[in-house]
Amino acid sequence: MRAVLACLLAVGLVSTPLQAQTLRFGLMEDPDALDPTLARTFTSRMVFAALCDKLVDIGPDLKPVPQLATSWSLSADEKVLTMALRPGVTFHDGEPLDAAAAKFSIERHLKMPGSQRRGEISPIDTVEVVDDLTFRINLKTPFAPLLAQFTDRAGMMVSPKAATALGDKFSTAPVCAGPFKFVERVPQDRIVVERFDGYWNKDQIQIKRIEFRPIPDGTVRLTNLRSGQLDLLERLAPNDLAQVKRDPKLKVGSTVELGFQSIVFNTAKDTPIGKDARVRAAFEASIDRNAINQVVFNGEFVPGNQWVQPKNPNYLSEFPLPKRDVAKAKALLAEAGVTNPVVNLVVYANSEAPLVGQVIQAMTKEAGFDVRLQATDFTTALDLADKGNFEAYLYNWSGRPDPDGNTFSFLACKTPLNYSRYCNPEADASMSASRLSTDPAKRRAAWKSLADRILADRPFLYLFHRRLLWAYTTKLTGFGDYPDGLVRYTGLKLD
C-alpha cells in the first residue's frame, strides 16, 4: 500500500495537504519593485495585499476601516491627525510595529530617493511619537485625501530594521506586517510568499502559501486555470467571460475599477500632438469610445472621459462623454495647420492593448492621423514614460478611492507620475483647493475647475474604466469583490 501511494504521489495523482493549501495566482504582468515606497504598478499591489498591511483599509463602500490603526482623530483645524495602532503587531522579522516604526515608514515614503509616495502625502510636515502605540501627523495645510492615501502603499508599514539593513535592496527581501511573508522571487517566473504565523489576524488566514505567476498572455492564463495549473487569475479577458461562466468548475468575480485607461500625451515633445491642444482635441474627436469597448472588450468596460467613471459620485455630469465627430477632427487639424500628423503610440505587448491601439489607429486614420504602434513590454514602457522618451502612451491606472489619487500625481507640476510633463498654475490651484477642505461642495467645485482646464488642454485622453474580472476554481471559497480590485486573503480557503 505504501509503495502504491508513493508511486501516485510521484506522478502527481494525489494532492498533498501542502498542495491543497497553496494558492497559485496568475498575474497579468511581472510586478515592479516589491517596495511600497518605490512601487507604482497595479500588479505589485496584488502582491502587497498579501505582504503588507496598511494603516487603514477600505470597505466595499469606499470608506476607511481599521487595519493596523484601530482609531484616528482629526483636529478642529484639520492639520493634525492622531492615530492609534493595533497592539501586539509584529513585522515578519519579529520587530514590533509601534509608533516609532510608523514614523519611520511614513518618513521613508517622504524622503527616500525615487519615492513614488512623496507626492501622495507631500502635505505632511512632521510625524511625532506620542507613546508606544500612538503617533501624530502634523500637516503643513489641511489635506482631505490623507486617510484615502493610507488605504494604499502610502499606508504600508515596513520593518525599520530590515529597511535600514537592506537600503535600496529592500525590494529583494521585503519585510512588512501582512498575513504572508516573502520567500523568493524569480523574475518573470514566480513570487512566493508563505503564511506568517505571527500575524495579528492569523485565524482568518487559511491559505498556507501563495505562488504569484506572471503570465502576460490572457489565453495562456485561462488555459492554465482550466487545466488546474492555476487556482485564480486576475484581469480575465472580457471576451473569455462567457466561456468561463459556462464552466461548472470555475467562478467569476468582477468590479469596475476606481481608475482609468487613457492615452497620455507628452506635452514636452516638439510634435504636433505634443505641442498643440487642438491636435489632441482632433485626436479625441476622431475616436468612438463605445465602439472600442464593443470591439475589444465585448462591451464589458465603461466608456468615460474623466478620471472617475460615470457612476462614481464624484463624476462631473457637466462634462458628458463626447461623441465621435470626424468632420470636427478634420476642421481642428486644419485650424492647427497640421496635415497627416504622425503619432507614435506606445502600447503594452499583451493580449489586449495592441487591439485597442489597432482600433484607434483605424478610427483616427479617417481624420488624417497616422498612428504607429510601439508594442512594448510593461517595464520598458514605464521606463520610457519616466524618461519622457515617448509621444503617446496607452496607460492604465488602477485608481484610488479619493479623486485626488487619480489626479494630483499625474497632473500637478513636476509630480512623480506626471508622464505628460503637463504644468498649469490654474490646474495646480484647483487640485490644491480640493485638498484643503473636507467640505464636499468645496471639493466638487475644485474638481469642476480642474476639469475645465484639463478637458480643454487634454494632456490625458480618458478612454474607459475597466471591469476587473477574476476567474477562479470552485475549490476557492470566501472570495469577495472589492472596489479597488485587490484580493483580500482573509477568509479565503482552498479545498
Side-chain angles (χ1 to χ4, degrees):
M1 196 68 169
R2 289 194 188 96
V4 171
L5 181 58
C7 289
L8 290 173
L9 286 169
V11 296
L13 297 180
V14 174
S15 294
T16 66
L18 179 60
Q19 287 174 322
Q21 293 175 348
T22 297
L23 177 69
R24 297 160 301 174
F25 190 168
L27 303 177
M28 193 171 188
E29 301 109 6
D30 197 28
D32 60 342
L34 293 182
D35 183 331
T37 300
L38 302 177
R40 53 183 170 170
T41 64
F42 182 50
T43 317
S44 68
R45 295 175 71 201
M46 296 283 182
V47 180
F48 285 133
L51 285 174
C52 304
D53 274 6
K54 303 156 293 190
L55 290 172
V56 291
D57 199 4
I58 59 170
D61 60 358
L62 295 182
K63 293 182 179 178
V65 296
Q67 195 169 69
L68 293 175
T70 56
S71 63
W72 49 85
S73 61
L74 190 63
S75 63
D77 64 0
E78 300 185 1
K79 292 179 66 176
V80 180
L81 177 69
T82 303
M83 306 193 83
L85 292 169
R86 189 178 299 278
V89 177
T90 61
F91 291 104
H92 300 150
D93 58 2
E95 293 293 303
L97 199 166
D98 54 17
K103 172 182 167 69
F104 175 90
S105 292
I106 294 170
E107 290 180 345
R108 183 175 188 265
H109 290 325
L110 287 168
K111 299 175 182 178
M112 184 174 178
S115 172
Q116 299 295 320
R117 310 283 81 83
R118 186 181 300 111
E120 297 172 355
I121 57 173
S122 57
I124 293 178
D125 188 16
T126 60
V127 184
E128 299 177 41
V129 173
V130 177
D131 58 40
D132 283 352
L133 294 177
T134 310
F135 64 97
R136 182 183 298 123
I137 296 173
N138 301 304
L139 300 170
K140 302 169 189 173
T141 61
F143 184 46
L146 184 57
L147 274 180
Q149 299 290 26
F150 283 157
T151 67
D152 192 59
R153 286 160 293 195
M156 292 178 186
M157 303 289 100
V158 302
S159 164
K161 180 180 178 181
T164 300
L166 291 170
D168 60 4
K169 300 294 190 297
F170 179 80
S171 64
T172 64
V175 179
C176 291
F180 294 85
K181 60 183 179 180
F182 179 81
V183 175
E184 67 169 342
R185 179 176 191 174
V186 180
Q188 306 299 327
D189 182 69
R190 66 186 181 273
I191 296 170
V192 180
V193 300
E194 288 183 351
R195 186 173 62 196
F196 175 46
D197 291 335
Y199 184 54
W200 65 268
N201 198 20
K202 64 180 179 181
D203 292 344
Q204 294 298 312
I205 305 300
Q206 306 300 317
I207 303 294
K208 175 71 174 177
R209 180 182 176 98
I210 305 173
E211 295 178 2
F212 296 97
R213 300 180 182 177
I215 306 174
D217 189 292
T219 301
V220 176
R221 249 189 350 273
L222 180 55
T223 299
N224 274 264
L225 177 68
R226 300 187 76 173
S227 67
Q229 299 304 304
L230 293 176
D231 305 299
L232 167 68
L233 64 82
E234 53 104 7
R235 282 178 281 180
L236 172 72
N239 291 329
D240 291 330
L241 181 59
Q243 66 167 302
V244 172
K245 286 183 174 179
R246 290 193 300 266
D247 192 326
K249 295 182 180 180
L250 299 178
K251 288 186 176 182
V252 174
S254 73
T255 190
V256 177
E257 68 180 345
L258 296 173
F260 51 80
Q261 187 164 93
S262 66
I263 294 177
V264 182
F265 296 111
N266 187 346
T267 62
K269 279 284 185 183
D270 188 19
T271 61
I273 206 162
K275 64 184 180 182
D276 197 326
R278 292 171 297 182
V279 180
R280 297 193 289 273
F283 194 95
E284 177 174 23
S286 68
I287 67 169
D288 184 333
R289 293 169 172 86
N290 287 299
I292 298 172
N293 183 34
Q294 292 297 329
V295 171
V296 182
F297 303 113
N298 205 29
E300 289 292 332
F301 286 10
V302 178
N305 64 323
Q306 298 175 31
W307 41 80
V308 293
Q309 60 135 324
K311 291 186 178 180
N312 187 296
N314 295 301
Y315 183 81
L316 299 163
S317 57
E318 301 93 328
F319 303 92
L321 190 71
K323 293 181 179 180
R324 188 183 191 217
D325 190 337
V326 176
K328 178 182 177 181
K330 290 180 177 179
L332 284 164
L333 287 180
E335 181 185 325
V338 175
T339 305
N340 301 120
V342 173
V343 179
N344 295 296
L345 177 62
V346 174
V347 299
Y348 296 134
N350 58 30
S351 53
E352 291 180 353
L355 296 178
V356 176
Q358 289 164 18
V359 176
I360 290 173
Q361 186 180 53
M363 287 179 171
T364 56
K365 185 176 182 179
E366 293 182 33
F369 286 93
D370 179 5
V371 173
R372 301 175 184 180
L373 304 180
Q374 297 176 253
T376 308
D377 70 85
F378 190 63
T379 303
T380 302
L382 287 176
D383 185 59
L384 292 173
D386 278 340
K387 295 175 180 177
N389 294 333
F390 75 99
E391 189 173 351
Y393 175 17
L394 184 64
Y395 177 75
N396 306 327
W397 176 247
S398 54
R400 301 292 181 269
D402 190 288
D404 181 84
N406 291 354
T407 54
F408 186 85
S409 288
F410 298 100
L411 300 170
C413 298
K414 299 181 180 178
T415 45
L417 301 179
N418 190 339
Y419 301 139
S420 68
R421 275 64 180 174
Y422 177 74
C423 185
N424 183 286
E426 293 179 15
D428 275 18
S430 297
M431 286 182 280
S432 295
S434 75
R435 292 179 147 202
L436 288 172
S437 175
T438 57
D439 184 311
K442 291 181 179 179
R443 299 196 79 202
R444 184 175 183 81
W447 288 321
K448 182 181 181 301
S449 175
L450 177 64
D452 279 329
R453 187 71 271 147
I454 297 303
L455 297 183
D457 291 346
R458 292 179 176 83
F460 272 67
L461 174 53
Y462 301 97
L463 295 173
F464 33 75
H465 310 272
R466 295 169 295 177
R467 186 176 299 280
L468 300 173
L469 298 166
W470 298 271
Y472 56 98
T473 172
T474 53
K475 296 179 181 180
L476 184 66
T477 58
F479 187 91
D481 303 334
Y482 276 77
D484 61 2
L486 302 179
V487 176
R488 266 56 176 186
Y489 298 99
T490 52
L492 278 187
K493 186 177 180 181
L494 193 61
D495 296 323

